């Protein structure tokens, strides 16, 4: 018996409506109608997912303090959402920038990553993974600034991510 993937994430947020709008409008999650069995909660599904829900949001209210994880306490640093194509990563870079949520990007060699914060200040990563058959030793040795234009020129916008769950 072994774990093979993360089924869903649950986050505490300040403002439920604002957070639902962000994850729906910026990242493309689907709001699950009637899925809010708990007062002050919402459940969302990633585009194309057949999962019951991929993200749960529980509202704490405006009084909630920022997370101290990594600064004053232990805790989760971030979740990483994988995109299907490099073009998807480019589109999300634009949407995150437009929303004022993009806080950074990195080229980790095998992965190309964007870092952003949701309306409650919770950081997350959006990642595209180089297909295994296209990986080179040069790719594996990279770690620095992401040049998304260069990656798009090298792989093309339709290049599918190399790891993750099975796709149709």
């Amino acid at each position: 018996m072994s774990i093979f993937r993360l089924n869903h994430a649950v986050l505490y947020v300040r403002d439920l409506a604002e957070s639902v709008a962000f994850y729906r409008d910026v990242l493309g999650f689907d709001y699950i109608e009637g899925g809010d069995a708990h007062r002050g909660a919402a459940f969302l599904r990633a585009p194309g997912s057949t999962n019951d829900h991929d993200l749960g949001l529980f509202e704490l209210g405006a009084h909630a303090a920022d997370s101290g994880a990594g600064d004053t306490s232990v805790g989760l640093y971030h979740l990483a959402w994988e995109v299907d194509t490099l073009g998807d990563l480019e589109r999300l870079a634009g949407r995150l920038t437009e929303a004022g949520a993009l806080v950074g990007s990195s080229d980790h060699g095998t992965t190309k990553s964007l870092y952003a914060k949701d309306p409650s200040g919770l950081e997350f990563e959006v990642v595209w993974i180089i297909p295994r058959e296209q990986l080179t030793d040069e790719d594996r040795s990279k770690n620095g600034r992401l040049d998304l234009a260069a990656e798009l020129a090298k792989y093309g916008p339709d290049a599918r991510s190399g790891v993750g769950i099975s796709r149709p």
Side-chain angles (χ1 to χ4, degrees):
M1 168 172 41
S2 63
I3 294 172
F4 68 96
R5 75 177 181 127
L6 177 67
N7 180 268
H8 65 274
V10 177
L11 305 174
Y12 288 113
V13 298
R14 283 190 186 90
D15 183 308
L16 188 62
E18 180 181 42
S19 294
V20 166
F22 176 83
Y23 284 99
R24 182 193 60 221
D25 300 343
V26 177
L27 295 182
F29 279 75
D30 294 321
Y31 174 74
I32 301 170
E33 292 292 337
D36 306 341
H38 304 283
R39 183 173 166 80
F43 298 92
L44 299 102
R45 187 177 296 122
S49 173
T50 58
N51 204 15
D52 173 66
H53 68 280
D54 296 294
L55 182 61
L57 302 172
F58 286 77
E59 183 175 58
L60 292 177
H63 69 280
D66 288 343
S67 172
D71 187 27
T72 59
S73 65
V74 296
L76 181 68
Y77 170 33
H78 69 254
L79 301 169
W81 305 107
E82 184 179 349
V83 294
D84 192 30
T85 69
L86 192 53
D88 292 334
L89 190 69
E90 178 186 38
R91 282 184 287 284
L92 278 174
R95 291 169 83 175
L96 290 165
T97 298
E98 193 175 289
L102 189 65
V103 297
S105 64
S106 292
D107 184 338
H108 298 294
T110 60
T111 63
K112 312 307 172 187
S113 300
L114 305 174
Y115 295 91
K117 290 189 177 184
D118 77 1
S120 292
L122 300 172
E123 189 165 333
F124 60 91
E125 179 179 359
V126 180
V127 62
W128 178 80
I129 303 169
I130 297 175
R132 185 169 287 131
E133 63 277 3
Q134 293 181 359
L135 268 176
T136 65
D137 288 338
E138 180 185 345
D139 292 321
R140 289 182 183 94
S141 68
K142 282 185 183 177
N143 195 15
R145 186 182 151 275
L146 175 63
D147 183 344
L148 190 52
E151 299 302 327
L152 285 160
K154 181 177 181 178
Y155 297 104
D158 297 326
R160 306 257 334 241
S161 191
V163 181
I165 60 174
S166 329
R167 297 181 284 266

